[in-house]
Amino acid sequence: MTDKKILDGMAKMAAKKNKALKGIKAMKLKDLKPPEISTKLIPPEKIQTSMIITLTVGGKSFIGGNMEITMKTKMDIMIKMTKHPTKNIGIEKTGCELHLLAYKTNLPSNMLPKVLNKFLNSTLEKLLPGMMCPAADNVIAFMETKIEPMFEKKSFGESSTVWYEVAEEPGVFPDYNLIQLKVKFQANNGDIVEVAPDPVPEDLPPKEEGKTTVYIPVSTINVAMMLMDGSFNSVITKIEGSTPTTDQLKEILPDADLPSGKDMKIEISPKVNATFTVSPTRSHMTIRIKASFLSVEDGAELLSVDTVQECNASFAIKEEHLAVTLKAGSCRSTEISSPAGN
């Protein structure tokens, strides 16, 4: 849309096709100001995009010399977004209207009543649709090229991939347009896991003006955690700078049957994938983990403890990634057990 050569070519094409423009020869685009763009949503399926465009065209005047006309126009483009079989989201232009708001010329003012009032009013209205409505097609094509990368496969974790597909026909509401997506994960073994969108809640928070809002179902996060199995395994070899020992552990668990004076390392691994619960009052993560206390000397397991942890969680979008933050000090054990009964 900002490419001057594209609009210049459109102006020349309009001049050739419109016989009423014989008064200006070799017409071309001289200047184009950045458009003012506004959008109106028309339920249930249409979107009207209005563009205020100021442009200057010039050419050889029929009275001799160069002639320039600066016009301020309003272009109303009616579009419809659909679920497309090959492009995910299709954007179709269903209408285009042009309105001449104002104009001025470099011709002497004493010629305006005789020439311009008669000439411009009858010819510019014919020129503008032929020159500007093809630009609307270019704008729509540009929008589609910007949308398509959203649906490309992206890496997830170390060896999985994730991508999105449109689940339902896009909907247009008075304050927003809604695109529901289903999420697909492909695990490293080739299996594809599909997460269908949850029903849209009726109590969505108000949408902020000028911002795109993304709602991610908790089920999608839980599937993602399942595919990241193994990523949360960890080994602790130092606590406050020193190697943990069985003597320290016996102070915490005096009834545990542990040998004395042995250095330990602690292996922590989830037994069940972490799951998230989100409610209007609280969001938290629940995870069942196994802590294995191993001898540094020979790797023998000295003690194992299963625990269920609940931690307060918050969610945010950071650099196009979903960030999950566990609040420091919020984790608490809701269940502790030892397979050996210790």
Side-chain angles (χ1 to χ4, degrees):
M1 184 63 188
T2 58
D3 192 329
K4 186 173 180 293
K5 292 182 179 179
I6 294 176
L7 288 180
D8 194 16
M10 292 177 182
K12 292 178 180 178
M13 184 179 297
K16 289 180 181 179
K17 292 183 177 181
N18 201 324
K19 295 181 180 180
L21 295 177
K22 293 180 180 179
I24 303 178
K25 296 181 179 180
M27 186 178 66
K28 62 180 180 179
L29 186 69
K30 304 285 287 186
D31 186 42
L32 173 67
K33 303 295 184 184
E36 303 172 25
I37 302 175
S38 61
T39 299
K40 179 182 178 182
L41 303 177
I42 306 175
E45 60 181 18
K46 291 186 178 181
I47 303 172
Q48 177 180 302
T49 298
S50 297
M51 305 174 67
I52 304 295
I53 303 169
T54 301
L55 71 160
T56 300
V57 295
K60 295 292 184 180
S61 170
F62 61 92
I63 61 173
N66 294 324
M67 179 178 179
E68 289 187 357
I69 305 172
T70 298
M71 298 170 285
K72 186 175 184 180
T73 65
K74 180 185 179 188
M75 178 167 63
D76 293 328
I77 310 169
M78 196 71 70
I79 63 175
K80 177 182 178 182
M81 299 180 69
T82 60
K83 178 183 176 184
H84 197 277
T86 60
K87 295 189 293 186
N88 290 294
I89 291 182
I91 304 177
E92 175 189 357
K93 183 185 74 176
T94 61
C96 178
E97 293 183 359
L98 269 295
H99 306 280
L100 180 63
L101 303 180
Y103 59 81
K104 64 179 180 179
T105 178
N106 64 339
L107 288 179
S109 59
N110 60 3
M111 298 186 64
L112 292 178
K114 297 179 180 179
V115 178
L116 286 183
N117 284 339
K118 181 178 180 180
F119 174 75
L120 290 177
N121 288 333
S122 62
T123 59
L124 288 180
E125 293 286 351
K126 299 176 182 179
L127 163 68
L128 293 175
M131 184 173 73
M132 300 306 299
C133 280
D137 295 328
N138 286 0
V139 171
I140 290 174
F142 177 77
M143 291 171 61
E144 289 183 335
T145 62
K146 291 297 183 181
I147 290 175
E148 279 305 303
M150 294 170 48
F151 299 94
E152 294 176 354
K153 288 187 176 182
K154 298 176 177 62
S155 60
F156 178 79
E158 294 184 357
S159 55
S160 301
T161 54
V162 61
W163 69 97
Y164 306 93
E165 294 180 359
V166 179
E168 306 287 345
E169 288 289 343
V172 178
F173 297 85
D175 298 322
Y176 63 92
N177 58 299
L178 176 67
I179 301 175
Q180 297 187 67
L181 305 175
K182 53 185 175 184
V183 186
K184 287 190 173 182
F185 295 93
Q186 186 166 26
N188 52 11
N189 62 2
D191 291 342
I192 295 177
V193 181
E194 179 177 314
V195 185
D198 291 344
V200 179
E202 296 182 357
D203 57 345
L204 291 177
K207 182 183 178 301
E208 295 185 40
E209 184 70 24
K211 291 186 177 181
T212 298
T213 304
V214 179
Y215 297 99
I216 302 176
V218 176
S219 56
T220 300
I221 301 175
N222 290 337
V223 170
M225 299 299 291
M226 178 188 70
L227 292 175
M228 295 181 70
D229 184 32
S231 300
F232 300 99
N233 296 344
S234 61
V235 178
I236 300 174
T237 59
K238 299 287 184 180
I239 297 179
E240 295 183 350
S242 61
T243 302
T245 67
T246 53
D247 295 337
Q248 293 171 322
L249 185 58
K250 288 179 72 172
E251 292 179 5
I252 302 172
L253 302 172
D255 296 332
D257 183 15
L258 292 168
S260 300
K262 282 189 172 290
D263 290 341
M264 299 184 306
K265 62 181 178 180
I266 307 169
E267 288 188 354
I268 297 178
S269 58
K271 293 192 67 176
V272 179
N273 298 310
T275 57
F276 288 86
T277 303
V278 178
S279 71
T281 57
R282 177 171 172 256
S283 300
H284 65 275
M285 179 192 75
T286 303
I287 185 169
R288 179 181 290 273
I289 61 175
K290 176 184 178 181
S292 297
F293 298 85
L294 309 177
S295 168
V296 172
E297 182 180 358
D298 56 13
E301 184 176 81
L302 305 174
L303 178 69
S304 68
V305 175
D306 293 346
T307 177
V308 177
Q309 295 280 324
E310 281 192 2
C311 307
N312 291 348
S314 61
F315 306 90
I317 301 296
K318 296 183 178 180
E319 297 181 355
E320 299 185 357
H321 291 82
L322 175 65
V324 181
T325 303
L326 303 181
K327 185 178 180 181
S330 70
C331 295
R332 57 205 167 275
S333 297
T334 60
E335 180 183 330
I336 300 176
S337 62
S338 172
N342 295 324

